[in-house]
Amino acid sequence: MSLSLWLEGEQVPTQGVLHRYWKASLVDVMPKNLAVRERWSFRRTPALATLLVLSGGPSLTVEPSPGSISSATSLAKLHANCMLDNNGIVCELNDGCDLVLTPIPGVGTPSFWGFCLAVGTLPMGMALLDSSRLPIVFDLDETLLVAFSLHTLDVRLARLQNG
């Protein structure tokens, strides 16, 4: 699907590839023009890891339009800046949903994964992750692993030792 990403007044033609599980729900609400509302800086955690935790997975991949050199150049510059500064790009999908684009490291073309998040999820999730107040649970088949901050783990161990 063809998309236009509006970045600082410049229209960058791109193509969006909807991921399998999101095709039915996003095809009707995905606008053809995505205006960048803001750049979001991820402070303590990598942008890609944060968005994978908050959303469960990417909704689409944004790539340069085939054959468009200007699109590839603009996206390459944006990709490099976002990788360097650990930034994501926030676009509004509709009244209740944001699309957060983050660069994919290590691919040949400058590509971004798009994550659909309810409005307000990103700042709230970042606040919890940055303050180490969001325990992350990993389900590895039959093994359940919960990650805690070092401080939280010390408090829990002290509580167990003191009875």
Side-chain angles (χ1 to χ4, degrees):
M1 100 191 308
S2 64
L3 295 171
S4 288
L5 186 64
W6 286 89
L7 178 67
E8 298 167 357
E10 178 188 352
Q11 182 181 10
V12 179
T14 62
Q15 74 176 16
V17 179
L18 293 173
H19 290 223
R20 182 175 71 211
Y21 300 109
W22 287 89
K23 279 187 181 178
S25 58
L26 279 181
V27 75
D28 294 332
V29 297
M30 182 63 73
K32 297 294 180 203
N33 293 305
L34 290 172
V36 174
R37 188 175 69 215
E38 64 182 313
R39 289 186 190 217
W40 188 269
S41 179
F42 294 83
R43 293 177 291 277
R44 292 181 57 190
T45 56
L48 187 56
T50 301
L51 291 168
L52 285 168
V53 167
L54 294 178
S55 70
S59 310
L60 78 152
T61 303
V62 177
E63 303 168 333
S65 290
S68 174
I69 296 172
S70 65
S71 170
T73 304
S74 297
L75 274 183
K77 186 174 17 170
L78 179 63
H79 190 275
N81 288 341
C82 286
M83 288 294 293
L84 182 66
D85 298 335
N86 197 30
N87 284 346
I89 301 166
V90 181
C91 305
E92 186 176 334
L93 275 184
N94 57 34
D95 290 337
C97 190
D98 286 336
L99 179 70
V100 184
L101 300 175
T102 187
I104 307 170
V107 293
T109 60
S111 302
F112 291 80
W113 271 346
F115 297 84
C116 290
L117 296 173
V119 173
T121 301
L122 186 58
M124 179 61 72
M126 285 297 304
L128 291 172
L129 284 169
D130 285 346
S131 66
S132 300
R133 294 175 190 237
L134 181 65
I136 301 172
V137 178
F138 300 98
D139 183 6
L140 308 172
D141 293 327
E142 295 180 20
T143 306
L144 188 64
L145 175 72
V146 179
F148 294 101
S149 69
L150 184 57
H151 174 73
T152 305
L153 189 58
D154 287 341
V155 169
R156 286 179 179 236
L157 287 173
R159 206 177 313 146
L160 285 172
Q161 288 173 349
N162 295 335

